[in-house]
Structures are given as structure tokens and as C-alpha cells.
Amino acid sequence: MIRRRLAAYRSAAVWKQTAHLLLGLIMAVGLFSAVATVLPTAVGLSVTLVGIPLLAVSVWGGRGVAAIERLRFRALLGADLPEWAPVEWEAGAAARLKQALSDRPGWKGLAYSMVALPWNILTFSLTVTLWSLTAGLLSAPLWSQWSEPPPVFHLGTQRVEIAGGWLLASAAAANLLGLVLLLVLPAAI
């Protein structure tokens, strides 16, 4: 069972999934920043001749968001997400402007850009925490041998000293917990 669990680390899937979760935050920050800048600007300028076309381009950019994310999902997770149907443009500038402003996939892409940031903050934090905790716990015996023992302290009238066998036992327990996390981590990611 242990060998089968550790075999997951030899495949690219665990590393690609981890990269997907870590890159998700970078993508979400960029997308959120772009949408949170362009959309309010376009709405604010909608009283001028520039605002409505800028809003239409912004909504149309939501399709670009989906295309970029589809590429990331395909490259790192192997997920082949369906593409949205292409737009069949009507004749006339006013009709095309109305079509762009009412483009549901575009609005969904913009909404995704706003919702993705909190979700990717959570997944990035959990990924970094789990990998760091696993590495720290696995290396606990090394740290316990190479570092100074903690100072003696008092709990009430009792003198407490963490050294020798107790320190080694706690490092071994931490190491065991790290091994368990190492075995479970591919399923968690």
C-alpha cells in the first residue's frame, strides 16, 4: 500500500495538479485586477461615447478569460472543457454593440474573474501549507538533532525539560505524521 501511494509522486499528475493550484492564484490576481479596473472604468465612462464600446470590449474580453483558463486546465489537468459557441455577428455597428453587451459567455467570464480570486487564495494557501507541513514534519528528526534543545521552563512548581529521549520521541512522532501526510497528499491535491 505504501509503495502504491508513493508511486503517485513518480507520475506527473501530482506535480501538474500542484502547479495548477499554485498558478491559479497568479492567474486570478491578474484577471481580477484587469476586470476590477476595466469594468468600473467602462461603466463610469458609459455617459460618454467611449464608455459603451469599452464596456462591450470588456464583456467580449470575458470570452478571452475563458479561453486562457481552458488552456491552463487542459495543459495542467488534462481537462478538455467545451468551448463556447462562436458569435454570429449581425450587420450594423449598433446591432454588434448590443450583441457584445448581451453576450452571456462574456459576462460569465467576467464573473469567473471576480469569483476565482477568493477561491484561488484558499487553494493556494492550503497547497502551500500542506506541502510545507509535510516537508517540515518529515525533516523533524534532522532538526531535533541539529538544533539546540529548548530551554528549561517551569509550570507552577514543576520543572519541565524537553531534551534527550523525549525530544527524539517527539521528532519521531512528527516524522511519522509527516509520512502519513506524504501518503495522503496525492489524494488531497
Side-chain angles (χ1 to χ4, degrees):
M1 178 183 117
I2 292 176
R3 186 171 293 190
R4 188 184 81 225
R5 293 277 186 161
L6 290 176
Y9 289 103
R10 281 186 256 133
S11 76
V14 170
W15 306 113
K16 283 183 172 183
Q17 290 167 354
T18 300
H20 171 77
L21 293 171
L22 296 177
L23 287 173
L25 180 62
I26 296 168
M27 294 293 296
V29 167
L31 293 173
F32 182 88
S33 299
V35 170
T37 302
V38 172
L39 203 56
T41 302
V43 170
L45 290 174
S46 65
V47 296
T48 67
L49 291 176
V50 177
I52 299 296
L54 182 60
L55 184 59
V57 169
S58 302
V59 173
W60 189 250
R63 284 182 172 260
V65 167
I68 290 168
E69 286 296 282
R70 262 193 306 278
L71 286 173
R72 185 171 68 97
F73 274 74
R74 187 177 302 128
L76 295 174
L77 300 180
D80 198 19
L81 302 174
E83 294 190 27
W84 285 322
V87 175
E88 295 180 19
W89 293 105
E90 298 174 6
R96 288 183 179 187
L97 187 65
K98 182 181 176 188
Q99 228 178 333
L101 287 172
S102 61
D103 185 43
R104 288 180 59 97
W107 282 107
K108 286 180 182 180
L110 294 179
Y112 173 84
S113 297
M114 302 304 283
V115 173
L117 183 62
W119 174 254
N120 282 301
I121 288 172
L122 176 70
T123 59
F124 178 90
S125 300
L126 287 174
T127 302
V128 169
T129 300
L130 285 173
W131 278 111
S132 301
L133 182 63
T134 301
L137 289 173
L138 282 173
S139 63
L142 297 174
W143 296 110
S144 71
Q145 295 303 309
W146 291 341
S147 62
E148 293 291 322
V152 176
F153 63 95
H154 295 277
L155 283 176
T157 58
Q158 188 168 355
R159 181 175 188 259
V160 179
E161 184 176 352
I162 303 174
W166 196 90
L167 187 60
L168 188 59
S170 63
N175 187 257
L176 183 62
L177 183 58
L179 183 59
V180 169
L181 273 174
L182 187 68
L183 296 175
V184 172
L185 202 53
I189 298 290

